[in-house]
Amino acid sequence: MPRDTLTLGTIVRTAVELLDEEGLEGLNMRSLGKRLGVAATAVYWHVANKDDLVLLVADAVWREVGLPPLDPADWRGTATAMADGLYATLVRHPWLIQAISSHLLYGTGKARFDDHLLGVFESAGFAPEEADRAAGAVVTYVLGNALGASATASLTRKVRRAGGDGEERFRQTLAQAAEAAAGFPRLRARLGTSAAQEYAAAPDGSYAAGLRALLAGLRPEDA
C-alpha cells in the first residue's frame, strides 16, 4: 500500500486485527507496517507512537458497544444490555483488558459509552453521585468477569511463542491446580465439575447471576 493512500482508519482497523491475534505485547510499528504493506516509518505520518495508537484503537473498539434506548421503567434491563455489550466486546478483544491496566484510555468512543451508562441511572432518578457509583460498580464488575478471557488469551500466546503445545500446557496446569485443591474439602468436591475443566472459568450462569444481584442491590426498594 503506497504511503500516500494509507489512512488513519486503515491503520486502526489493521491494528485491531493485529491486537486480536497477538495481544498488546505483539503490537509494534514494524509488525503493523508489514501487515499494511508499508514501511514502519509510513505509519508515523499518521500516529506519533505506539501509546497514541493504543488510545485510538481502544477508543474505536469502545464504539462497538451498542447503546440501548434509555428506559426509566426498566433501567435494570437497560443497564444489563450495556453490561452485556461491554462484556462481549472485552471477550472479543481480550487485549483491551491489558490496555485498560496499562494506559489511561480516553476518547469520544469511551465517553459515548460512559455518558450513556450514567444516563441509564440518572433517567431512573439516581442522584449524580449515586449514578457515578452505580456506573462504576457495573463497569468494574464486567471488567472482573472478562479478566478470565484475557488471561486465557495471554497464556495461549505465551505458550505458542515458546513453541509449546498449548493444550498440553493447559492439561498440566489443570492437573497441578487440582492437586493443590485436593486438600480442601469444598474445592475437592468441585474438581469434577465443568468449571474445573476450564482455565479461569466460573460456573455456568455466574456472570448473569452476579449482575442481577449487583443491580438489585443498587436500589433494593424497587427490586
Side-chain angles (χ1 to χ4, degrees), residues 99-208:
I100 290 171
S101 65
S102 59
H103 293 73
L104 181 60
L105 300 181
Y106 61 88
T108 56
K110 185 176 183 301
R112 157 189 170 276
F113 174 89
D114 291 340
D115 184 79
H116 200 75
L117 185 57
L118 288 171
V120 170
F121 299 109
E122 289 191 351
S123 68
F126 284 62
E129 313 81 48
E130 294 175 323
D132 289 343
R133 287 193 293 270
V138 168
V139 170
T140 300
Y141 177 79
V142 173
L143 289 175
N145 277 269
L147 186 59
S150 179
T152 299
S154 180
L155 180 57
T156 300
R157 289 191 303 268
K158 183 178 179 180
V159 171
R160 187 187 68 223
R161 290 192 179 106
D165 183 331
E167 291 186 3
E168 179 58 28
R169 175 68 179 274
F170 282 128
R171 282 194 293 269
Q172 292 175 356
T173 300
L174 287 171
Q176 292 167 347
E179 184 178 350
F184 300 89
R186 296 171 187 83
L187 296 179
R188 185 170 59 248
R190 289 164 172 77
L191 288 177
T193 65
S194 59
Q197 306 306 313
E198 299 180 40
Y199 178 76
D204 291 343
S206 294
Y207 165 82

Side-chain angles (χ1 to χ4, degrees), residues 38-98:
V38 301
T41 52
V43 179
Y44 286 109
W45 281 85
H46 299 271
V47 183
N49 51 51
K50 177 179 174 178
D51 285 344
D52 282 356
L53 179 59
V54 170
L55 290 178
L56 289 170
V57 175
D59 202 53
V61 166
W62 276 97
R63 290 186 176 279
E64 296 180 11
V65 184
L67 304 183
L70 299 180
D71 183 359
D74 185 26
W75 62 269
R76 288 190 177 88
T78 310
T80 298
M82 290 197 68
D84 290 348
L86 177 58
Y87 179 75
T89 298
L90 292 168
V91 171
R92 189 164 56 249
H93 305 291
W95 54 268
L96 187 54
I97 293 284
Q98 293 179 294

